[in-house]
Amino acid sequence: HCGTTTTTVVSAEHDRRHFLSTISILSLATTTSTVAPSPVSALDFSTSPSGLQWADAKVGSGSPPQTGQPAAIDYVMSTTGARYGTKIDSTTDRGSPYRWTLGDKTTIAGLEQAVLGGEGVPPMLPGGIRRVVIPSKLGYESLAKPIPGMQFQDCEEGRGVGPIPPPDVAFAEYQRFKNIYCNANRPYQPDLVLDIKLYGKRVQ
């Protein structure tokens, strides 16, 4: 039985690494960028004590963001645990960056750590592109807590920690998100993968 367990763990890790090497990060690169992001295969991931994994495809420039300041990002949201494809949502598809005030508790801890830094993670700089792999404890774990008589939390944007695909303009994406990360009947939450591009003050 021990041999079978070891093989299963190794296989799961191989599948995760293969996933991380195949999903695209190029959709966050703009045509006006003078420095192209590194290819996904070249990303070198590090892991913080909190369990957040990160790798920079492109390092930005300027001053790092601070708690209490407004932040604006584009993201591509994917999952390591989907049966029918990996991508869930993308702000670039609808031309609407995700905005919030850093430290206001409206956003998942993993995204805050990815942008602000901490626990060995350097802060992002404006124009930078970073891929992060976020465990459930830093993600949407609170959205999957059972509510008596309900299968799903009421997890529309503004009623739970974001980012959450807005159902009025991204209904299919919202349904996909809800089934994976806002479902009390799901036995576990898979890791969340975010490709993040941080903007400077002009976009905020």
Side-chain angles (χ1 to χ4, degrees), residues 19 23-24 27 75-94 108 134 140 155 163-167 169-182 186 189-195:
F19 163 80
I23 56 178
S24 173
S27 59
Y75 68 75
V76 177
M77 178 188 293
S78 306
T79 179
T80 60
R83 181 178 300 177
Y84 305 108
T86 58
K87 181 179 172 182
I88 297 176
D89 184 41
S90 172
T91 56
T92 60
D93 290 347
R94 56 181 174 271
I108 56 174
I134 302 174
Y140 298 105
C155 61
I164 295 173
V169 295
F171 183 75
E173 291 84 350
Y174 171 72
Q175 289 295 326
R176 184 169 171 77
F177 170 86
K178 184 173 73 170
N179 288 337
I180 298 173
Y181 290 106
C182 192
R186 191 179 180 99
Q189 283 194 354
D191 289 345
L192 179 75
V193 181
L194 286 177
D195 290 336

Side-chain angles (χ1 to χ4, degrees), residues 33-52:
S33 175
T34 58
V35 180
S38 301
V40 172
S41 59
L43 296 183
D44 184 17
F45 285 87
S46 301
T47 304
S48 76
S50 67
L52 181 83

Side-chain angles (χ1 to χ4, degrees), residues 93-156:
D93 290 347
R94 56 181 174 271
S96 177
Y98 176 70
R99 294 178 170 88
W100 80 105
T101 300
L102 292 163
D104 68 359
K105 300 186 185 301
T106 63
T107 297
I108 56 174
L111 178 52
E112 287 259 320
Q113 186 180 357
V115 173
L116 283 171
E119 294 192 13
V121 181
M124 292 187 69
L125 302 178
I129 299 175
R130 173 173 289 177
R131 170 167 290 179
V132 290
V133 184
I134 302 174
S136 60
K137 66 180 181 179
L138 300 178
Y140 298 105
E141 196 171 62
S142 63
L143 296 184
K145 293 180 179 179
I147 296 178
M150 295 182 63
Q151 179 178 352
F152 298 103
Q153 290 261 25
D154 188 3
C155 61
E156 293 187 18

